[in-house]
Amino acid sequence: DAGVIQSPRHEVTEMGQEVTLRCKPISGHNSLFWYRQTMMRGLELLIYFNNNVPIDDSGMPEDRFSAKMPNASFSTLKIQPSEPRDSAVYFCASSFGATVSQPQHFGDGTRLSIL
Amino acid sequence: SQKIEQNSEALNIQEGKTATLTCNYTNYSPAYLQWYRQDPGRGPVFLLLIRENEKEKRKERLKVTFDTTLKQSLFHITASQPADSATYLCALDGGSSNTGKLIFGQGTTLQVKP
């Protein structure tokens, strides 16, 4: 079975540009999570969806970040405008079920560099 | 505030020995605790989940304990192999078992030498 698929794997762009990260969860999973990982702060939850509905976006750093899940097989995380401090690895994960009693399955991430 | 602590220093052990990693938490009482493995350039991979009413969980060479009195989980890899070298992350529920929110520790890097 295909795992969680993220694109692009790497993104380098200049400050001020719009960045869109994409995620395809595992088929049949109904929860989707966006994380950010940095050396300083580790792995942080940004937002998660259940049945395509945002449940908790308290980790979204500011209004420059937005996430959508238009259907069960696709989600985007958008940063506009991007800033150098947004440089990090962004992971998408999915799970079957909406609670922490279920394991989460991660993609291999998008390494984002904002110059 | 809620805090999760894992040894920030790398753990170096000899092949064949048992590796023991520690996850301590303060200021809350999680109902679930999960352990993940992360290799360089890859996403975390789920290993084991343990509930607050379970003292111990095993899977092949892996064993996890959950001591709610000490607020600590120990993760053991027996008969360690160089292929076990990776960063290991513990994750706890974010204060409510009815949500999907996990809070991750910073991880401990394990290096198994042949």
Side-chain angles (χ1 to χ4, degrees):
Chain A
D1 286 340
V4 174
I5 299 172
Q6 292 187 245
S7 65
R9 287 298 313 275
H10 302 273
E11 174 90 10
V12 180
T13 191
E14 291 190 347
M15 181 174 67
Q17 297 297 306
E18 178 178 292
V19 173
T20 300
L21 311 181
R22 296 172 176 79
C23 175
K24 177 179 170 55
I26 292 173
S27 177
H29 283 187
N30 61 353
S31 289
L32 183 139
F33 307 82
W34 282 102
Y35 290 88
R36 178 171 68 176
Q37 188 174 41
T38 61
M39 288 293 291
M40 286 291 292
R41 299 176 66 90
L43 191 63
E44 302 175 286
L45 178 66
L46 300 177
I47 185 171
Y48 82 93
F49 297 82
N50 180 244
N51 293 326
N52 311 337
V53 176
I55 303 299
D56 186 337
D57 65 355
S58 59
M60 296 286 263
E62 47 198 273
D63 293 345
R64 298 184 298 105
F65 286 69
S66 63
K68 294 183 179 179
M69 191 162 187
N71 57 61
S73 58
F74 184 66
S75 177
T76 60
L77 178 68
K78 193 169 289 189
I79 308 173
Q80 167 63 20
S82 57
E83 297 182 4
R85 60 191 167 122
D86 302 331
S87 298
V89 181
Y90 290 81
F91 288 103
C92 175
S94 69
S95 71
F96 179 71
T99 72
V100 291
S101 64
Q102 299 297 322
Q104 296 184 11
H105 300 263
F106 285 75
D108 281 335
T110 294
R111 183 172 295 274
L112 177 63
S113 296
I114 309 297
L115 306 176
Chain B
S1 62
Q2 299 165 344
K3 192 174 179 182
I4 301 172
E5 289 184 350
Q6 294 186 255
N7 285 351
S8 58
E9 290 185 13
L11 178 63
N12 295 296
I13 66 168
Q14 206 66 34
E15 182 176 9
K17 300 293 186 184
T18 296
T20 299
L21 287 72
T22 304
C23 176
N24 295 304
Y25 58 91
T26 55
N27 295 331
Y28 70 133
S29 300
Y32 295 89
L33 191 149
Q34 301 186 20
W35 282 89
Y36 288 78
R37 167 184 173 142
Q38 187 173 23
D39 291 285
R42 307 296 302 271
V45 175
F46 172 78
L47 296 175
L48 281 169
L49 178 150
I50 188 166
R51 295 171 174 77
E52 62 177 338
N53 60 354
E54 298 176 315
K55 297 298 182 187
E56 183 180 297
K57 201 83 169 277
R58 291 175 185 261
K59 178 182 175 184
E60 298 172 353
R61 294 184 296 112
L62 309 180
K63 185 179 83 172
V64 173
T65 63
F66 193 4
D67 189 325
T68 55
T69 301
L70 292 179
K71 293 187 179 296
Q72 180 182 78
S73 174
L74 298 178
F75 178 81
H76 305 273
I77 306 175
T78 58
S80 60
Q81 305 165 0
D84 295 326
S85 299
T87 296
Y88 291 85
L89 304 165
C90 70
L92 290 75
D93 68 62
S96 170
S97 61
N98 293 324
T99 76
K101 186 170 185 175
L102 283 175
I103 299 176
F104 282 81
Q106 291 272 43
T108 297
T109 298
L110 172 67
Q111 186 71 34
V112 181
K113 298 184 186 300

